[in-house]
Amino acid sequence: MAEDNKGNAFDFGLFKRLLSYTKPYRVRLYFVAFAAILISVFAVLRPIYLELAIDEGMQPKDIDSLIYYIQLTLVVLLGESLFQLLFIYFANWLGQQVVRDIRVKLFGHMIRFKMQYYDKSAVGRLVTRAVNDIETIASIFSEGLFMIISDLLKMAVIAGVMLYKSWQLSLIIFVILPFILYATRVFQKKMKVAFEEVRTQVANLNSFVQERVTGMKIVQIFSREKVEQKKFDEINKKHMRAWNKTVWYNSIFFPVAEMVTSITIGLLVWYGGLRAAQSDVITIGLVTAFIQFSQMLFTPLRQIADKFNTLQMGMVAANRVFAILDTDSRIADTGTHTLKNIQGNLTFEKVRFSYVPDEEVLKGIDLEVNAGETVAIVGSTGAGKSTIINLLGRFYEIDSGKIKIDGIDITDVKLDSLRSEIAVVLQDVFLFADSILNNITLNNPSITEADVIEAAKAIGVDSFISSLPNGYHYNVKERGAMLSSGQRQLIAFLRAYVSNPGILVLDEATSSVDSNSEQLIQKAINKITKGRTSIVIAHRLATIKKADKIIVMDKGLIVEIGSHKELLQKEGGYYRNLYEVQFAANQEMV
């Protein structure tokens, strides 16, 4: 959409779509339109009363008439000010309502995207779309769209009154008007392209800063401060150059517009003054009124150009936001089944999957997991272990084959129902900048604090949480920075446990914790895996000896299946080789 309309002064299709968000607020929209009409009427009355005050009050020295027209002018000014106030307030109010609705819709759309979308999208750019760009859209209503409409309406009324008053003086203004209109049109087109570049560079800045702040530890560990600062300086220069283009166009347009306005006033004084001296057809009051009319006609044109800058930035932002809203990157939620009290039987039938087309990660996996079993999946990095978990929760769609839970194809199950029955504990635990309690319940109203405390005592982590300041209400800050990796892992186990899942998945959940935390985690694992189907992915083979079944994977294929003892008995077996390598490495460390 953006590319097709780049360089065009205005995209009416985009504007129509944006305007559709005002439908719930039609009453206010109509009032804003009504206020704009009244403002135009009040604006054109001022020069008319000035003309009458000069011609019927000042020149004949009629004090009563002069005072009368001054009083009328004051009433008009008060009316214009009142409706200008209401116009600005409700235009801004309307903009904020529209922005709120779009932002809610955008966020609701984004949180349902496939994981594959986030794999390919920079977080900083998405933040820019959801925050900066949407805030820019608000300016379309508060400073752009309605202000432009009001100015155009005012100009139309003024043009009509001018023609009625004097076609000769109107002709002077109308001869000059095309030059202003042409300059404005060129200015609008140039600014459209310039603001496209500005928004692109703003997104680049946000993306760069977000990534570096998130990865600040890596930057400092490897002493990359100077390098990253140099890169930031280069991106910032591009941003500055993009803005400088808009400054350059403004610096050309506004002096030209000012010069044309001054020439018009000079011509009106010259021609009108001569005619006023020669006859009564044109009066001094009429010339004075036309000077005001010309300023009221040209000033909105200059302001429209300035407001059009705001409108263009808003339209560019809207284009980018709608591009995300138009992105179809959801997992198809067409299932009709609801999972309740599942047994936990899992079946993978000839499952094939690739993150990148023609580069299969899983190459026809067949797998049976019985209800209540603890199944471990092992293999080298890239073997496809974590991919199986991603497919089970339908975070990615399989290329072919079937995955079933209790004999039901997961594509036939409602997505919320499916994921509510599967709890996942990842190696890299993510915690929100919130209390421990909210990180465990994820604000689920059906899980009370008493439930959490009871669950924490059951898996042996209550003493650790209670020892923290404010206990379960301790704020862990962004990404859980106030806790150790082991403590974050324990929180993740508790989060999984209180959700009471039918299937539990542990993805490298003990690979990066200290020995003390590992004992607590092992106790938690024993508790939460008891009586439910559990899938454990692990590099450290010592942690999965008690698994009912171990699945060994290599290059997207299952190469061995059996218990720990059975697999160790296979001469030259893949699992046995892995175990012996790890055992030897542990012996060397000892």
Side-chain angles (χ1 to χ4, degrees):
M1 191 194 313
E3 294 303 318
D4 294 341
N5 296 302
K6 195 169 183 178
N8 293 338
F10 196 77
D11 184 347
F12 284 98
L14 181 64
F15 170 72
K16 184 178 179 182
R17 182 175 181 181
L18 191 61
L19 204 60
S20 68
Y21 284 88
T22 65
K23 285 182 180 179
Y25 315 105
R26 284 177 181 171
V27 174
R28 271 117 177 150
L29 179 63
Y30 294 152
F31 177 81
V32 169
F34 175 69
I37 294 171
L38 281 183
I39 290 168
S40 302
V41 173
F42 285 134
V44 82
L45 285 174
R46 284 191 285 113
I48 292 174
Y49 288 147
L50 176 62
E51 174 195 351
L52 294 172
I54 293 172
D55 290 341
E56 297 183 17
M58 294 175 65
Q59 283 194 325
K61 297 183 180 180
D62 185 344
I63 302 300
D64 291 337
S65 294
L66 180 62
I67 292 173
Y68 174 70
Y69 288 119
I70 289 173
Q71 288 173 339
L72 284 178
T73 303
L74 285 173
V75 172
V76 167
L77 281 172
L78 287 173
E80 187 178 4
S81 299
L82 174 63
F83 279 94
Q84 191 79 35
L85 182 150
L86 295 172
F87 174 83
I88 292 171
Y89 173 79
F90 282 108
N92 279 273
W93 181 92
L94 190 62
Q96 290 303 318
Q97 296 300 315
V98 169
V99 160
R100 181 198 65 184
D101 293 346
I102 295 176
R103 182 178 280 129
V104 170
K105 185 176 180 180
L106 178 67
F107 185 75
H109 191 65
M110 286 169 58
I111 60 175
R112 289 170 176 81
F113 279 160
K114 299 177 184 177
M115 288 298 105
Q116 208 158 11
Y117 179 87
Y118 292 102
D119 293 342
K120 299 176 182 178
S121 303
V123 175
R125 288 181 181 275
L126 295 177
V127 171
T128 300
R129 301 294 175 265
V131 181
N132 301 56
D133 284 343
I134 287 189
E135 201 59 44
T136 305
I137 292 174
S139 63
I140 292 177
F141 296 91
S142 61
E143 301 170 36
L145 171 66
F146 293 126
M147 294 296 184
I148 290 174
I149 292 173
S150 176
D151 287 342
L152 288 174
L153 186 60
K154 188 186 298 182
M155 289 165 61
V157 174
I158 289 169
V161 172
M162 283 168 51
L163 284 169
Y164 174 76
K165 287 284 186 180
S166 172
W167 68 268
Q168 297 99 327
L169 292 177
S170 299
L171 188 61
I172 293 173
I173 296 174
F174 292 155
V175 167
I176 301 295
L177 193 60
F179 294 100
I180 287 274
L181 289 173
Y182 176 75
T184 302
R185 177 71 174 172
V186 172
F187 178 69
Q188 290 168 354
K189 285 188 174 183
K190 294 292 185 183
M191 292 302 285
K192 171 79 181 289
V193 176
F195 281 128
E196 283 276 5
E197 180 63 19
V198 167
R199 298 312 304 169
T200 298
Q201 296 307 326
V202 168
N204 289 341
L205 271 175
N206 285 350
S207 181
F208 184 89
V209 171
Q210 190 272 336
E211 286 182 353
R212 269 58 187 183
V213 169
T214 303
M216 189 57 69
K217 183 177 287 187
I218 298 298
V219 172
Q220 294 187 0
I221 285 173
F222 291 95
S223 301
R224 305 299 291 173
E225 293 93 339
K226 290 182 179 179
V227 174
E228 297 301 329
Q229 186 171 353
K230 186 178 179 181
K231 286 182 181 178
F232 179 75
D233 185 44
E234 291 172 357
I235 295 173
N236 213 26
K237 282 179 180 176
K238 290 180 180 179
H239 178 257
M240 179 191 68
R241 284 194 289 269
W243 267 111
N244 281 345
K245 282 185 182 179
T246 69
V247 173
W248 171 244
Y249 296 142
N250 277 298
S251 64
I252 293 174
F253 174 76
F254 287 103
V256 169
E258 192 65 39
M259 181 180 67
V260 172
T261 302
S262 299
I263 290 172
T264 305
I265 293 172
L267 290 172
L268 285 171
V269 172
W270 170 73
Y271 179 79
L274 286 177
R275 293 298 302 274
Q278 294 171 358
S279 68
D280 294 333
V281 176
I282 295 177
T283 64
I284 298 298
L286 185 61
V287 173
T288 305
F290 263 79
I291 289 173
Q292 276 209 332
F293 281 138
S294 68
Q295 291 177 324
M296 291 171 67
L297 196 65
F298 290 160
T299 299
L301 267 180
R302 295 200 302 271
Q303 290 176 346
I304 283 174
D306 194 30
K307 289 164 187 171
F308 203 87
N309 294 349
T310 301
L311 180 60
Q312 291 289 33
M313 288 191 72
M315 293 293 280
V316 169
N319 202 14
R320 294 174 183 272
V321 169
F322 287 144
I324 295 180
L325 285 172
D326 291 338
T327 300
D328 184 14
S329 185
R330 293 188 179 194
I331 297 292
D333 190 9
T334 57
T336 55
H337 284 79
T338 300
L339 297 178
K340 290 183 179 178
N341 302 317
I342 66 170
Q343 295 177 358
N345 292 297
L346 297 178
T347 306
F348 286 70
E349 297 177 0
K350 295 181 171 36
V351 173
R352 292 182 176 273
F353 174 76
S354 54
Y355 292 102
V356 179
D358 301 322
E359 294 182 19
E360 283 191 332
V361 178
L362 297 183
K363 304 172 182 178
I365 296 294
D366 286 304
L367 176 63
E368 289 280 349
V369 179
N370 298 321
E373 275 189 334
T374 297
V375 175
I377 304 177
V378 301
S380 58
T381 301
K385 306 183 300 296
S386 296
T387 300
I388 287 180
I389 306 311
N390 288 333
L391 298 181
L392 180 61
R394 290 195 70 200
F395 298 108
Y396 297 83
E397 291 281 40
I398 61 177
D399 297 339
S400 64
K402 289 184 178 181
I403 301 175
K404 297 179 179 179
I405 296 178
D406 291 348
I408 303 172
D409 193 322
I410 60 172
T411 59
D412 295 331
V413 178
K414 293 178 181 178
L415 206 55
D416 286 346
S417 175
L418 173 67
R419 291 177 180 172
S420 67
E421 289 294 338
I422 303 171
V424 181
V425 180
L426 300 171
Q427 176 184 0
D428 183 17
V429 177
F430 187 92
L431 298 181
F432 295 95
D434 205 337
S435 66
I436 287 179
L437 179 64
N438 288 340
N439 268 289
I440 292 168
T441 65
L442 297 177
N443 297 304
N444 185 341
S446 65
I447 304 174
T448 66
E449 184 173 354
D451 295 332
V452 173
I453 294 173
E454 183 181 349
K457 290 177 179 178
I459 65 173
V461 298
D462 175 66
S463 57
F464 135 63
I465 297 174
S466 299
S467 67
L468 297 170
N470 298 323
Y472 288 84
H473 297 279
Y474 178 67
N475 193 308
V476 300
K477 305 301 181 184
E478 187 174 357
R479 298 182 69 88
M482 303 304 292
L483 302 177
S484 69
S485 60
Q487 290 172 329
R488 290 196 295 271
Q489 205 62 268
L490 289 169
I491 298 298
F493 275 104
L494 185 52
R495 180 160 62 193
Y497 185 55
V498 296
S499 68
N500 193 28
I503 299 170
L504 178 69
V505 177
L506 308 179
D507 190 355
E508 307 285 4
T510 62
S511 62
S512 59
V513 296
D514 56 73
S515 56
N516 182 50
S517 295
E518 186 175 353
Q519 291 178 0
L520 287 173
I521 288 173
Q522 200 59 52
K523 179 182 177 182
I525 290 175
N526 294 336
K527 178 66 178 179
I528 66 177
T529 57
K530 188 176 181 181
R532 61 167 53 92
T533 303
S534 304
I535 299 176
V536 181
I537 296 175
H539 277 306
R540 295 161 66 178
L541 304 185
T543 62
I544 57 169
K545 289 180 179 179
K546 296 180 181 179
D548 298 309
K549 188 189 298 179
I550 297 174
I551 297 158
V552 186
M553 296 190 66
D554 183 39
K555 297 178 182 178
L557 295 169
I558 295 176
V559 293
E560 292 177 351
I561 298 179
S563 67
H564 176 70
K565 289 183 179 180
E566 290 171 349
L567 293 175
L568 284 183
Q569 291 172 2
K570 290 187 178 182
E571 288 289 338
Y574 195 100
Y575 181 82
R576 178 170 173 170
N577 290 336
L578 281 176
Y579 187 81
E580 287 175 350
V581 168
Q582 283 195 15
F583 182 77
N586 291 336
Q587 288 294 100
E588 287 178 11
M589 285 190 289
V590 175

